[in-house]
Structure formats: C-alpha cells, structure tokens
Amino acid sequence: NVASWAACGSQAHFEIVTKTAKGSSTFPAHLVLGKTFENHAGTANQQIEIPDGGSAVSEINSEVGGQTVRVNIEADIKHSYPADLRYFVKTPAGEQIELIKSGVNESGWTKLSTEARSSSLGRWSLVVSDNNGQDKGTLYGWKLILINAECQQK
C-alpha cells in the first residue's frame, strides 16, 4: 500500500522475494507513482568542441509542461579517448546532475540517463567535460527526452 499523501512522481521502494525449492532471493525494486510518459523535448544540432580539461555546453529550451522524474539523453559525441569524459545535465531550476552512460543507440549515439525531479518547462543544458589533457573531442548534437509523471486527482 502507498500512503495517500505520497507525491505524484515520487518513487515507492519495495523488495521482490522469490521462493523456490532451493531457497529464496530478494531483489530491490521501485516504481514511479502515477502514469509516466515520454516527451521528446527537443534536439540540438550544433558542433561544439570539447577542449582538454574543459567542457562543452549545449542548451535545449523545453516547452513541455509537467513534472520530470527521469531524464534520458542521446548525444552524438566523438572523442579520441571517451573514458576521459563525464556527462551532466543542468535542470531549469539550475541543479546540475551527473548522467550515467548506458550504452549506444542504433545510430551510435551515446545514451545517458539520470533520475531528476524538476519542472520540465525551461532551459536544459548538457555539459560534457574532458577530465584529462592530450586529446579533445566534439559534441555534434543531442536529444532531450523527459520522462514525466501524471497523476489524476480524486
């Protein structure tokens, strides 16, 4: 059961227990309260150099309303040593959150994501930082995908 005061878009954490003849296993799990939906909030296609020891910053202005609970980003990034890079998203409220790399899409773009509670409306920034010298890269473009929560009031 979830308390009636739980906020829309918040997470309910619980455990899943499986039992077999060989014993039991417990797995942590969570779900987002309310219906979630994906918004393609925008795409930025611009070539920005990622300098040694510096950062590339690109912005997308989202006109999508609602409460974001998760941010997914797909970015076209070329770098001679990708392990040097760290990725962040800056929310419209100014909070900067580190992104987690989760692979590449069918086009070879880097897939990044994080949990974030923010209004979807406003300026979102992708920050790509090169933590080491001797090589540089380029951010060619990125897509901002906001996962929002929607709850019906009774």
Side-chain angles (χ1 to χ4, degrees):
N1 291 341
V2 178
S4 61
W5 50 263
C8 177
S10 63
Q11 293 188 16
H13 296 272
F14 56 96
E15 293 181 338
I16 297 173
V17 179
T18 60
K19 294 182 181 182
T20 66
K22 293 182 180 181
S24 64
S25 297
T26 303
F27 304 94
H30 72 275
L31 59 88
V32 176
L33 302 179
K35 176 183 160 190
T36 59
F37 55 97
E38 192 173 277
N39 285 300
H40 293 269
T43 302
N45 293 310
Q46 58 200 69
Q47 189 171 327
I48 302 173
E49 183 179 311
I50 306 166
D52 285 334
S55 298
V57 180
S58 179
E59 298 176 342
I60 291 177
N61 192 35
S62 170
E63 295 181 9
V64 173
Q67 178 70 33
T68 294
V69 294
R70 182 162 198 79
V71 177
N72 293 331
I73 289 174
E74 294 179 356
D76 185 6
I77 299 170
K78 304 294 184 260
H79 194 277
S80 56
Y81 196 72
D84 285 357
L85 301 177
R86 290 181 66 196
Y87 311 93
F88 301 89
V89 65
K90 189 172 181 182
T91 70
E95 182 181 11
Q96 185 165 297
I97 305 166
E98 187 160 9
L99 292 157
I100 298 168
K101 185 176 177 180
S102 59
V104 295
N105 70 9
E106 62 281 349
S107 301
W109 287 32
T110 302
K111 293 171 67 174
L112 306 161
S113 64
T114 189
E115 293 179 13
R117 291 191 51 79
S118 175
S119 169
S120 300
L121 189 63
R123 186 181 357 250
W124 291 80
S125 301
L126 173 62
V127 180
V128 182
S129 297
D130 183 341
N131 296 319
N132 292 313
Q134 302 179 350
D135 48 20
K136 59 185 177 181
T138 305
L139 170 63
Y140 290 98
W142 62 292
K143 299 175 188 176
L144 175 64
I145 303 158
L146 303 174
I147 309 300
N148 288 10
E150 179 179 274
C151 300
Q152 292 193 352
Q153 303 296 323
K154 292 186 178 184

